[in-house]
Amino acid sequence: MNILCYDIEASNLSADFGIVLTFGSKTVESAEDVEVLNILDYRDSTGDLIRAEKRLLKDITARMLSADVWLGHYSTWYDLPFLNTRLLYHHLPVLPPNFAQLDTWKIARNRLKLR
């Protein structure tokens, strides 16, 4: 089973104002496949970050869909909604809503007694 651990960094907490800046990921099976996709690597000669984000999102989607399970922290409340909002902004298909995923924040919240 291919479990993809991932996290995004964005320029704002709200996806209608912010953009995706980076996407970090690795699979559980391998310690050597760490990958960080950075929006700066997707700029063209114009330097337009919105167009760069669209290209970045296409690669993020491909990476995520190549996995069997997604693993993130607070990902069902932040990362996935942010990514889907930005995908919609760029008129790209959103990520599947019923994809197998594990959210470590949810696990901790349900199994530990913390404030």
Side-chain angles (χ1 to χ4, degrees), residues 17-46:
F17 294 106
I19 61 173
V20 177
L21 299 174
T22 61
F23 175 82
S25 67
K26 75 171 288 318
T27 59
V28 171
E29 294 81 19
S30 173
E32 297 157 7
D33 67 347
V34 175
E35 182 177 31
V36 177
L37 305 177
N38 187 319
I39 195 169
L40 298 178
D41 297 331
Y42 289 82
R43 289 181 298 175
D44 58 15
S45 59
T46 67

Side-chain angles (χ1 to χ4, degrees), residues 34-107:
V34 175
E35 182 177 31
V36 177
L37 305 177
N38 187 319
I39 195 169
L40 298 178
D41 297 331
Y42 289 82
R43 289 181 298 175
D44 58 15
S45 59
T46 67
D48 184 347
L49 288 180
I50 299 299
R51 290 191 341 206
E53 183 192 36
K54 185 174 184 176
R55 290 189 290 278
L56 171 63
L57 286 167
K58 288 179 182 179
D59 282 353
I60 290 171
T61 299
R63 180 77 168 116
M64 291 185 76
L65 293 178
S66 71
D68 299 314
V69 177
W70 301 330
L71 172 64
H73 186 79
Y74 210 65
S75 56
T76 55
W77 299 105
Y78 178 74
D79 299 69
L80 287 174
F82 197 100
L83 288 171
N84 280 329
T85 302
R86 297 310 298 167
L87 287 164
L88 284 173
Y89 174 86
H90 290 288
H91 305 286
L92 297 170
V94 297
L95 295 162
N98 296 324
F99 204 91
Q101 55 184 309
L102 298 167
D103 187 332
T104 57
W105 180 83
K106 276 185 175 180
I107 293 167

